[in-house]
Amino acid sequence: MSDQVEHNQQLILEGQHDENQYLTFMMAGEEYGMNILAVQEIRGWEDVTTIPNSPKFVKGAINLRGTIVPIIDLRLRFGIAENEYGPLTVVIVVAVEINGQNKVMGIVVDAVSDVYSISEEQAKDVPDFQDSDNAEFVHGLVNVGEKMVVLLNLESVLNLE
Amino acid sequence: MSIDLSQFFEVFFEESLEGLDAMEAELLNLEPGNEDMETINTIFRAAHSIKGGSGTFGFTSVSDFTHVLETLLDQIRDGQRALTAEHVNLLLKSVDCLRGMLAALQAEQEPDLTEADEIRKRFEVILGMAEQSSSDSQTTAESLSENTYQIDFKPHPHLFKTGNEPLYMISELAELGELETQAFYDAIPDIDSLHAEECFLAWRFFLTTSKPESAISEIFEWVEDDADIEIVVCGGLFETDLTDDSDASIENTPHVKQDDARPAEESQVSVSQPTKTTQAGPAASNNAKKPEPKKSSDSSATSIRVGIDKVDSLINMVGELVITQAMLSQIGEQEITESTITALQEGLAQLAHNTRDLQENVMRIRMLPISFVFSRFPRLVRDTSQKLNKQVELKLLGEQTELDKTVMEKISDPMVHLVRNSLDHGLETPEQRVAAGKDPVGTVTLNAFHQGGNIVIEIMDDGQGLNTDKIRSKAIANGLIQETDELSADEINELIFMPGFSTADEVSDISGRGVGMDVVRRNIQALNGSVEVASAPGVGSTFTIRLPLTLAILDGQLVKVAQHTYIIPLISIVESLQIDISKVSRVGKDLDVLRLRDEYIPILRLYDIFNHDGAIEELDKTLLVVVKSDNHKVGLLVDDLLAQQQVVIKSLEANYQKVDGISGATILGDGRVSLIIDISGLIKLSGLKRPGSQELIVEQKAVGAA
């Protein structure tokens, strides 16, 4: 019994050292994760204003309390078939630093799933993807219980250049 | 007891720079031989407060430098010395130098003192001709032997109220040499009548130093009127045996002074000539170097001074807003009836009124008179015309025209460029002018005025005008136009704004240093403005800059394209009309041109450029908004015109990236985002060539022939 407590405490201590929390979301049946510190808020889908001549995955821009925030469809960014937007469709608003500039952007995903604590060592290297475009978007793969979660590299997902 | 002085640095820099501006302006007003005492006083006061301030904050390099400046001014003020043109030039140079030093200090760098030392030497040479040499020799004589001064310092009771702190002076004294201090506290009253804010102490100091007496009196300079100060040379209090020596040194000093004065004077006079000639080289090269440190500090200066009347009116507005709000919430609490609805509507109308007033007033806070930009031109024109050997009169009109501070900061460089161009290329030399039957003195006029929500700045010169033949041949050489193109004079003049129109063979020190007119135009366009040129050979040329008053708010026309709403800046709209299909001709593959009165307007289909589906494509069912950008008219095809309203400009780039044809975004009344069209970007995006280029003109001519 006391061993168990000790073990748990050790786990907690370890957790405090090098674990990051990841927010996970669903997209085309797969679970993806992003560092929770980047997440500003989660909103329902709302109509956007189209930005002319933008890439297909840029859905448009919304007004987020006075700031103009571009919205990016992650399915289209990954080249997955587009989904009808439904009541579960959410926009995760994230703040990332791209080329030294702080940008706030929205990401459209199918649904928000869970929050996990994942240590850096648990994340496995990305296997060689056939399609190298998407490889740069992936930070690593991690097993949580039975499931596999794809950790995203937000900076490159949102770098539109 | 120590106060962190660094918190006042910003204020000091700001005030000093203002002081320098004032000095510069007044110096330019000075006419040697006919100087106005008040002007000299103003210059003196500015120099004096810079010196005082820099001394207080420990910027000794600045205060030492200002000291010589001040000495010269003081002598001129007292009539001991006549002002000469050389003095004015040197003073102006030292204003530049001080600016550089302050900029370096502001950027927390050690200022480069080479230029300052050179100028200072020249000042000392000037001063030396009459008097400085003697005090110089005094300094050298005194520095040989150390003196002990007895300083009696008896502050008046109100000393503290003037913001002076004896402790600082004492520690400053201690830096000069060995200091012994005696404090007298006999004057302290008993505790009942003791005022904490008054000073009852007096001091006697014995200072053994090699520094001259003036160094001591300088420390007390600021309290001269607030204390009894007596400085005498004597022996030390505790080292009485020194007295004899120091007495001897007092006796010696005058002798040395008299003996040395003449030779020193002569030697310095003879030295002065070579110094002057060698100075010109390095001083000029220093000028070229200087802008670098200046740039870095520009970004840090972000405060503005606001007139108290503007703040007062803001407070009034806010008061009214609060009253309206109270009224509305009162209505809200009542039961809703017919009459409350009427009252509610009235209240909302009042709220709209208040908001608008408030908005205008807040905007006005950012507004500064354009004289802030204009004020740098007298100096520029003076220096440049001297360099070019041209006689120029600068006229400034509409200096009180107000302009947004951010716009002002960005417009000044393009204006400097245009004015330099006018001076260098526009105005002729006096001989040429006389030969052309003109007044030998050329005129450059800067004029600013408001025109329907815009500010218009005109830069006019009465010079030779643009040389259309030369521009044309250069444009042909650079491949901008073809030999066969027939262009009107205006179209040729427009060419100078084209990128790639290089004036490389005309490079001089004044203009043509790589920054072309295309950069001027681009900078002005970045401010949502436009620049045009009108020129008549032999009569002169006029550059007209049109700018929005503010970058934050814009009058917009909402238009509908398919299901999208866009905003066209009202200032660029010439007219909106229904298309008379019989006057439309098709040119080339897919360019439609509308004949409107005697002009041909290319029709740009917005839905096509922006790739929107579902818009009306039949020309006779749509509306055409004719817009003008840089003297070039195009028609934008839209489905419908919606409301006109003021919109607050938001950046699309902040979180996204630059979008071609779009200058920014805004939020409409319903909370939706709407994009603002950037006309010149749109024209570029449409692939329509800019005026002056051959493609459009050939097409227009084809239409004309048809």
Side-chain angles (χ1 to χ4, degrees):
Chain A
M1 184 62 196
S2 67
D3 275 4
Q4 184 63 46
V5 171
E6 214 166 87
H7 182 70
N8 278 354
Q9 267 172 350
Q10 217 166 355
L11 273 185
I12 291 165
L13 278 176
E14 271 171 21
Q16 284 167 341
H17 280 304
D18 59 347
E19 276 192 354
N20 288 319
Q21 288 201 307
Y22 283 82
L23 173 79
T24 66
F25 54 88
M26 301 306 293
M27 207 174 64
E30 293 295 333
E31 195 165 2
Y32 293 84
M34 63 171 83
N35 194 323
I36 204 159
L37 293 177
V39 178
Q40 288 211 323
E41 63 183 279
I42 298 169
R43 305 164 62 85
W45 165 258
E46 61 184 303
D47 256 356
V48 297
T49 300
T50 314
I51 301 174
N53 299 324
S54 56
K56 221 170 176 263
F57 55 82
V58 178
K59 299 305 287 184
I62 60 161
N63 159 26
L64 185 72
R65 293 179 294 278
T67 322
I68 311 290
V69 174
I71 304 294
I72 284 153
D73 187 314
L74 210 56
R75 278 175 166 262
L76 294 173
R77 180 69 167 148
F78 278 31
I80 306 171
E82 206 171 349
N83 207 3
E84 279 282 303
Y85 291 158
L88 274 182
T89 309
V90 288
V91 176
I92 306 174
V93 179
V94 295
V96 285
E97 197 184 303
I98 295 171
N99 299 335
Q101 275 183 301
N102 242 326
K103 305 223 170 194
V104 179
M105 297 191 179
I107 302 174
V108 184
V109 301
D110 291 0
V112 169
S113 171
D114 212 336
V115 175
Y116 301 123
S117 291
I118 296 164
S119 75
E120 199 51 42
E121 293 123 48
Q122 278 174 272
K124 301 198 172 53
D125 278 343
V126 192
D128 275 339
F129 278 79
Q130 286 291 60
D131 133 33
S132 58
D133 274 356
N134 284 356
E136 60 170 313
F137 300 153
V138 178
H139 171 66
L141 301 173
V142 72
N143 288 325
V144 178
E146 295 293 293
K147 294 179 293 187
M148 187 193 76
V149 175
V150 182
L151 301 183
L152 288 181
N153 182 352
L154 273 185
E155 281 74 18
S156 49
V157 171
L158 297 179
N159 193 342
L160 307 175
E161 279 148 30
Chain B
M1 198 50 225
S2 78
I3 301 169
D4 180 15
L5 285 177
S6 60
Q7 57 180 314
F8 303 114
F9 282 2
E10 265 318 300
V11 181
F12 162 69
F13 288 129
E14 210 162 290
E15 284 186 354
S16 300
L17 290 174
E18 269 174 30
L20 287 175
D21 287 347
M23 271 173 80
E24 188 173 55
E26 297 294 337
L27 278 170
L28 292 171
N29 283 338
L30 274 183
E31 284 172 53
N34 186 22
E35 59 263 21
D36 176 25
M37 265 310 131
E38 195 41 50
T39 315
I40 292 181
N41 272 330
T42 316
I43 302 170
F44 179 80
R45 275 196 298 270
H48 188 69
S49 39
I50 293 171
K51 177 186 151 190
S54 51
T56 313
F57 291 115
F59 302 132
T60 44
S61 51
V62 177
S63 58
D64 289 352
F65 182 68
T66 336
H67 180 71
V68 282
L69 221 145
E70 200 193 47
T71 318
L72 175 67
L73 286 166
D74 197 29
Q75 288 181 5
I76 295 168
R77 192 170 66 155
D78 294 346
Q80 290 174 23
R81 185 184 293 278
L83 183 80
T84 67
E86 193 204 345
H87 295 160
V88 177
N89 279 339
L90 200 52
L91 286 168
L92 279 173
K93 220 171 237 156
S94 41
V95 167
D96 287 344
C97 177
L98 276 170
R99 274 209 191 105
M101 285 160 87
L102 287 171
L105 287 167
Q106 202 170 9
E108 289 175 21
Q109 291 162 350
E110 210 40 54
D112 179 16
L113 292 180
T114 45
E115 195 191 350
D117 285 341
E118 271 164 29
I119 297 177
R120 199 162 115 187
K121 266 184 216 131
R122 290 177 66 182
F123 268 122
E124 278 165 4
V125 167
I126 292 175
L127 292 168
M129 287 173 190
E131 178 259 342
Q132 184 65 33
S133 61
S134 61
S135 72
D136 264 358
S137 64
Q138 189 183 9
T139 334
T140 47
E142 279 171 339
S143 64
L144 294 174
S145 64
E146 290 204 331
N147 278 333
T148 304
Y149 296 90
Q150 179 190 322
I151 306 152
D152 282 314
F153 176 48
K154 191 170 181 308
H156 298 162
H158 66 266
L159 179 79
F160 295 149
K161 288 180 188 161
T162 59
N164 289 297
E165 166 59 83
L167 195 60
Y168 284 136
M169 295 174 218
I170 295 172
S171 57
E172 238 176 289
L173 272 180
E175 277 169 25
L176 293 179
E178 213 174 296
L179 183 76
E180 287 154 22
T181 311
Q182 272 188 321
F184 300 105
Y185 39 82
D186 356 320
I188 298 184
D190 52 286
I191 195 85
D192 298 330
S193 48
L194 182 78
H195 269 283
E197 289 170 5
E198 289 185 354
C199 178
F200 300 103
L201 289 172
W203 288 270
R204 173 170 289 170
F205 308 108
F206 292 96
L207 178 68
T208 311
T209 176
S210 55
K211 297 263 168 28
E213 195 180 316
S214 57
I216 302 170
S217 47
E218 200 177 309
I219 292 173
F220 292 105
E221 196 172 4
W222 290 89
V223 290
E224 266 169 14
D225 302 331
D226 306 308
D228 301 322
I229 301 157
E230 209 177 312
I231 305 171
V232 285
V233 186
C234 74
L237 177 67
F238 306 106
E239 292 166 80
T240 33
D241 51 354
L242 222 150
T243 322
D244 289 340
D245 285 348
S246 60
D247 273 348
S249 78
I250 313 169
E251 277 169 14
N252 279 341
T253 324
H255 291 302
V256 175
K257 212 193 284 180
Q258 277 164 2
D259 288 344
D260 276 4
R262 268 157 228 293
E265 200 177 310
E266 276 162 29
S267 68
Q268 275 181 337
V269 171
S270 61
V271 161
S272 73
Q273 283 318 105
T275 0
K276 227 174 278 170
T277 43
T278 51
Q279 220 94 75
S285 65
N286 274 347
N287 272 346
K289 258 188 276 166
K290 218 177 357 171
E292 291 161 41
K294 228 177 189 175
K295 281 272 148 60
S296 62
S297 68
D298 271 0
S299 53
S300 64
T302 47
S303 65
I304 49 172
R305 290 191 168 206
V306 179
I308 193 75
D309 54 324
K310 288 182 177 174
V311 178
D312 281 346
S313 80
L314 263 190
I315 291 171
N316 271 340
M317 305 273 154
V318 172
E320 272 180 54
L321 194 66
V322 169
I323 294 168
T324 314
Q325 185 267 331
M327 185 180 88
L328 284 173
S329 61
Q330 207 176 7
I331 296 170
E333 280 161 16
Q334 288 165 11
E335 222 172 293
I336 294 181
T337 63
E338 285 277 318
S339 66
T340 50
I341 286 177
T342 328
L344 186 67
Q345 278 165 345
E346 273 169 22
L348 286 173
Q350 202 173 327
L351 183 68
H353 185 74
N354 289 157
T355 319
R356 199 168 175 116
D357 280 356
L358 192 61
Q359 178 203 323
E360 273 170 17
N361 272 274
V362 172
M363 286 300 160
R364 211 169 289 157
I365 282 191
R366 299 183 53 92
M367 299 290 223
L368 294 171
I370 197 157
S371 55
F372 278 79
V373 178
F374 278 8
S375 61
R376 62 194 283 182
F377 286 105
R379 175 76 194 279
L380 182 95
V381 169
R382 178 184 184 276
D383 288 359
T384 314
S385 56
Q386 273 184 0
K387 220 176 279 177
L388 293 167
N389 282 327
K390 290 181 183 175
Q391 294 172 18
V392 183
E393 189 194 347
L394 178 72
K395 279 188 191 157
L396 301 176
L397 301 172
E399 287 173 273
Q400 289 310 309
T401 316
E402 288 194 330
L403 180 63
D404 189 286
K405 183 167 184 274
T406 29
V407 182
M408 184 116 61
E409 279 163 359
K410 290 179 182 151
I411 195 60
S412 115
D413 283 349
M415 274 182 72
V416 167
H417 190 80
L418 290 174
V419 170
R420 277 196 174 139
N421 260 338
S422 287
L423 291 171
D424 195 13
H425 304 309
L427 292 180
E428 313 94 326
T429 58
E431 300 81 53
Q432 287 170 330
R433 290 184 67 90
V434 171
K438 292 196 213 173
D439 188 343
V441 180
T443 314
V444 172
T445 311
L446 300 182
N447 186 17
F449 53 93
H450 284 173
Q451 194 182 62
N454 286 329
I455 183 164
V456 180
I457 303 168
E458 289 177 336
I459 297 155
M460 289 176 270
D461 67 65
D462 63 349
Q464 55 199 349
L466 297 175
N467 186 338
T468 45
D469 290 342
K470 205 167 165 192
I471 296 171
R472 193 186 148 87
S473 56
K474 184 152 280 165
I476 294 170
N478 289 350
L480 292 171
I481 53 169
Q482 299 290 316
E483 194 98 33
T484 48
D485 289 342
E486 279 174 38
L487 295 150
S488 69
D490 280 351
E491 282 167 337
I492 292 173
N493 290 342
E494 272 288 308
L495 288 173
I496 61 169
F497 293 112
M498 298 286 286
F501 184 84
S502 147
T503 49
D505 65 305
E506 297 171 33
V507 167
S508 68
D509 188 34
I510 315 295
S511 57
R513 263 185 304 195
V515 190
M517 294 297 271
D518 61 317
V519 179
V520 169
R521 171 166 274 186
R522 214 176 323 132
N523 286 346
I524 291 170
Q525 276 173 351
L527 297 168
N528 278 327
S530 66
V531 56
E532 288 160 19
V533 60
S535 166
V539 182
S541 39
T542 302
F543 286 86
T544 309
I545 303 173
R546 234 170 271 272
L547 289 169
L549 282 181
T550 162
L551 294 179
I553 287 194
L554 159 149
D555 279 305
Q557 167 73 56
L558 275 59
V559 297
K560 200 170 147 235
V561 181
Q563 72 274 34
H564 310 284
T565 306
Y566 286 95
I567 292 159
I568 301 176
L570 216 49
I571 64 163
S572 43
I573 298 183
V574 182
E575 60 187 312
S576 305
L577 44 99
Q578 272 184 318
I579 297 171
D580 179 355
I581 199 89
S582 64
K583 290 193 172 156
V584 176
S585 330
R586 170 146 292 211
V587 192
K589 284 194 301 290
D590 41 21
L591 179 69
D592 289 315
V593 177
L594 174 73
R595 187 171 164 193
L596 181 65
R597 292 178 283 275
D598 55 352
E599 282 178 292
Y600 290 99
I601 313 277
I603 297 175
L604 303 185
R605 295 165 186 259
L606 269 186
Y607 65 88
D608 202 27
I609 296 169
F610 287 158
N611 284 317
H612 291 321
D613 297 330
I616 307 171
E617 299 192 14
E618 295 84 11
L619 287 180
D620 50 348
K621 288 183 185 150
T622 57
L623 291 171
L624 192 71
V625 182
V626 180
V627 292
K628 192 176 168 189
S629 161
D630 306 325
N631 251 344
H632 184 35
K633 279 186 193 171
V634 294
L636 305 181
L637 201 63
V638 300
D639 287 6
D640 203 0
L641 291 180
L642 306 171
Q644 281 180 9
Q645 68 176 68
Q646 282 205 320
V647 296
V648 180
I649 303 171
K650 305 260 178 187
S651 164
L652 188 62
E653 254 170 284
N655 289 324
Y656 186 57
Q657 58 192 29
K658 176 102 191 68
V659 180
D660 289 332
I662 299 293
S663 65
T666 191
I667 292 157
L668 298 179
D670 59 1
R672 289 189 53 117
V673 176
S674 180
L675 303 177
I676 303 165
I677 292 177
D678 162 26
I679 305 291
S680 59
L682 191 78
I683 295 173
K684 218 177 278 170
L685 188 65
S686 71
L688 196 67
K689 292 286 165 57
R690 292 280 282 277
S693 80
Q694 151 211 24
E695 196 170 310
L696 181 65
I697 284 140
V698 169
E699 280 167 0
Q700 278 186 344
K701 267 191 288 184
V703 177

